[in-house]
Amino acid sequence: MMHKTNASGHYNPFPSFSFTGPLRPVYPLSPKRTVPAHIKRPDYSEDGNPKSERKFIGRNNIKILDKKEQEGMRKACRIGREVLDIVAREVRPGVTTDYLDEVTHNATIERNSYPSPLNYVHFPKSVCTSVNEVICHGIPDQRVLVDGDIINIDVTVYHGGFHGDLNETYYVGAKASADPDVVRLVETTRECLDQGIELVKPGMLFRDIGGMIEKHAKSRGCGVVKTYCGHGINQLFHTVPNIPHYAKNKAVGTAKPGMCFTIEPMITLGSYKDKTWPDDWTSATQDGSKTAQFEHTLLVTETGVEVLTARLAASPGGPIPIPDTKREG
């Protein structure tokens, strides 16, 4: 089928695909960004195959990081937070997600780090940008952000042999932060992550996190995506344990000091079910309803948890009040 190209040279690469909501990909993608030769790379950077991860598939032995490794994770996560904050400050109506990718890429390599998403199982860009009905793994392209959008920016950096992974959802323009349903969604998702983190301490069962998150989401009339989970992270981008965000899951394992993993709930205003675009990455809600996500990388300590990707005092974004729509005026 011929792609319809407009005067700007932009086109939808999947014109016959049945999209679930109004969002469309806007191609062409920009050329693959380069990483200077001196920066240490993960094993998949050339061929797209995370070989070291695949050795661990089917194993439940969760890595305990020693003090030096924990310090390596702290450093990677601090850099990840710096990069996300730099990119988030550029979020406004009128910018493209490709521009946000360029900012991510440059900020990452300036910090002597590799952008972990780049060529991970052939992902083409340095950050995931998931707008409105996109749950996760959105590919940065030529689409311009508009007032009323929400965007999740998922940054992971590889530094000193360790990955630091975090994401937040941001309001684009005043229209988004004035929409009661959008604010209910985003702030509920933020709270779901915070409540999940509160459970983390030695002896916690990984399966218990999802029950806490789903209870809070449902109390606000929201759904919980089941397809994608939190994950172990260390020298590997994704590894054991799996951390489902829904109740009555069958996750295996118990938290012990020195373990690192993410919690990253994906919460929806409508259906929790997902549909993947033909790019094999972009995951959208089946009913086209908006969805939000927040993520931190966590280290289990002797007494509780350390949030390695914690927000700083000057971090952009942050919580806003949920409007009380029940009040009579």
Side-chain angles (χ1 to χ4, degrees), residues 183-204:
V183 176
R184 171 168 57 91
L185 168 67
V186 173
E187 299 308 324
T188 297
T189 309
R190 193 191 311 270
E191 292 165 6
C192 282
L193 172 57
D194 291 344
Q195 291 195 13
I197 292 170
E198 282 177 17
L199 288 179
V200 179
K201 62 182 180 182
M204 176 205 69

Side-chain angles (χ1 to χ4, degrees), residues 101-142:
D101 179 70
E102 180 183 10
V103 173
T104 304
H105 187 87
N106 292 341
T108 303
I109 63 176
E110 281 166 14
R111 287 159 177 75
N112 203 32
S113 305
Y114 181 93
S116 304
L118 186 61
N119 211 32
Y120 179 80
V121 197
H122 309 290
F123 189 82
K125 293 292 166 192
S126 297
V127 67
C128 297
T129 52
S130 301
V131 176
N132 296 342
E133 69 265 28
V134 174
I135 296 165
C136 60
H137 304 155
I139 297 173
D141 63 13
Q142 310 306 325

Side-chain angles (χ1 to χ4, degrees), residues 73-81 84 116-117 127-128 137 152-158 162-168 193 229-234 236-239 261-264 293-298 307-310:
M73 283 298 294
R74 281 191 190 95
K75 183 76 189 293
C77 288
R78 277 197 296 267
I79 293 170
R81 167 53 66 185
L84 178 61
S116 304
V127 67
C128 297
H137 304 155
N152 179 272
I153 302 173
D154 194 339
V155 164
T156 312
V157 303
Y158 182 71
F162 295 88
H163 295 273
D165 188 3
L166 73 162
N167 75 54
E168 293 194 30
L193 172 57
C229 298
H231 55 89
I233 185 167
N234 38 59
L236 303 177
F237 190 177
H238 299 94
T239 186
F261 56 87
T262 71
I263 303 177
E264 47 187 294
Q293 183 183 19
F294 287 84
E295 173 184 27
H296 279 306
T297 294
L298 310 169
V307 182
L308 300 182
T309 48

Side-chain angles (χ1 to χ4, degrees), residues 37-55:
H38 71 273
I39 289 177
K40 184 173 181 177
R41 292 156 158 71
D43 66 355
Y44 53 80
S45 66
E46 296 302 322
D47 66 2
N49 177 19
K51 296 171 282 295
S52 53
E53 285 187 13
R54 297 205 155 122
K55 290 178 194 163

Side-chain angles (χ1 to χ4, degrees), residues 44-90:
Y44 53 80
S45 66
E46 296 302 322
D47 66 2
N49 177 19
K51 296 171 282 295
S52 53
E53 285 187 13
R54 297 205 155 122
K55 290 178 194 163
F56 279 81
I57 289 174
R59 297 189 193 176
N60 285 321
N61 45 337
I62 300 165
K63 186 175 177 69
I64 305 286
L65 278 67
D66 63 28
K67 294 297 181 205
K68 187 177 177 187
E69 291 172 316
Q70 290 176 28
E71 202 45 54
M73 283 298 294
R74 281 191 190 95
K75 183 76 189 293
C77 288
R78 277 197 296 267
I79 293 170
R81 167 53 66 185
E82 286 179 23
V83 171
L84 178 61
D85 286 356
I86 287 166
V87 181
R89 290 187 186 101
E90 301 300 318

